[in-house]
Amino acid sequence: MNNNPQQLQGVGLAVRGLHKSFDGQEILKGVNLEVQPGEIFVIMGPSGSGKSVLLKHLIGLESPDAGEILINGESITTPEIAAKYRMALVFQSGALLNSLTVGENVGLYLTEHRLRPPAEIAEIVVEKLTDVGLKDAVDKMPAELSGGMKKRAAIARALVIEPQLILYDEPTSELDPVSAVVIGNEILHLNRRIHVTSLVVSHDRDLAFGVADRIAVIIDGQIVTVGTPDQVKNYHDPRVQEFLHADFKREK
Ligand SMILES: Nc1ncnc2c1ncn2[C@@H]1O[C@H](COP(=O)(O)OP(=O)(O)OP(=O)(O)O)[C@@H](O)[C@H]1O
Ligand SMILES: [Mg+2]
């Protein structure tokens, strides 16, 4: 595989005026975003605000009613783009196949497309599992892994294509706080080591403030603010503050 850091450089991503309605109801109301190459960009917002719908547009699972998505300035609807840039999605569930070992899961894409001889695939699998601290799990079955280990295996599987853009969908959902920190550190580590552009969709406030270079807050289909964690923390909009500081109210 290509280990030249120059060629592993992350890509830039731009979303311009994205609109999407379902059954007459407008879900995305003109979303604009600019993600810089190599940046860790977190999109956070309350449940139902349109995060997953936005993510589905970025990977081509949904097409916009209006607006465009650009990678390094090129529209993702052009046919060549899929071949030109490598994007990986880390699914919320991990989505490992239960009948295969962890190593087989990680190497599946290369094996299925016969991209490398088996011995080389085995080497790559160990390399990617080592990247996420799971080298010893290569021969384990997914059922033997904890939730956090499954997420890390899913990241290793994404790394196999040497992505220039990694999209993480709720990477810490269903994890305890310590495992969530491990995943957050993994996102940071990979971003710094291979300079991959990382886009994280999450409502985990600790994760967002822990890893983001910049954060966008989406509420009701619109980006309300974009900025560094400090800028977002101090953004005086009642909806943003309510989302950031929602807490339990116990009677004293
Ligand atoms: N295929 C679809 N058809 C109709 N409505 C949809 C479809 N996909 C999403 N929606 C609606 O769009 C809105 C936003 O959904 P979305 O899944 O993007 O929310 P979210 O911000 O990801 O929330 P969560 O944090 O709970 O995952 C919801 O009201 C949802 O019902
Ligand atoms: Mg969602």
Side-chain angles (χ1 to χ4, degrees), residues 26-99:
E26 201 175 22
I27 302 299
L28 298 180
K29 303 174 179 173
V31 171
N32 294 295
L33 284 177
E34 200 88 39
V35 181
Q36 303 303 323
E39 188 172 32
I40 301 182
F41 193 93
V42 177
I43 298 173
M44 66 190 306
S47 192
S49 55
K51 302 183 299 294
S52 293
V53 171
L54 176 58
L55 198 70
K56 283 180 187 156
H57 280 84
L58 300 180
I59 56 172
L61 280 179
E62 293 282 0
S63 53
D65 295 337
E68 56 179 357
I69 297 156
L70 307 167
I71 292 187
N72 280 359
E74 290 178 79
S75 169
I76 61 164
T77 49
T78 54
E80 311 81 57
I81 198 112
K84 196 161 167 189
Y85 299 112
R86 296 180 304 278
M87 290 195 242
L89 173 67
V90 178
F91 290 93
Q92 180 165 348
S93 60
L96 300 174
L97 298 176
N98 287 325
S99 57

Side-chain angles (χ1 to χ4, degrees), residues 123-176:
E123 261 177 48
I124 293 166
V125 164
V126 170
E127 180 192 318
K128 301 307 175 198
L129 281 171
T130 306
D131 279 347
V132 299
L134 271 189
K135 186 163 69 93
D136 296 339
V138 63
D139 294 322
K140 291 208 159 92
M141 301 307 287
E144 297 174 74
L145 302 187
S146 70
M149 290 163 89
K150 280 186 191 144
K151 298 249 185 202
R152 281 192 278 155
I155 295 174
R157 190 179 49 186
L159 290 177
V160 155
I161 66 160
E162 313 244 301
Q164 294 161 297
L165 173 65
I166 303 187
L167 307 163
Y168 298 90
D169 190 9
E170 299 288 354
T172 58
S173 62
E174 303 152 47
L175 296 185
D176 68 75

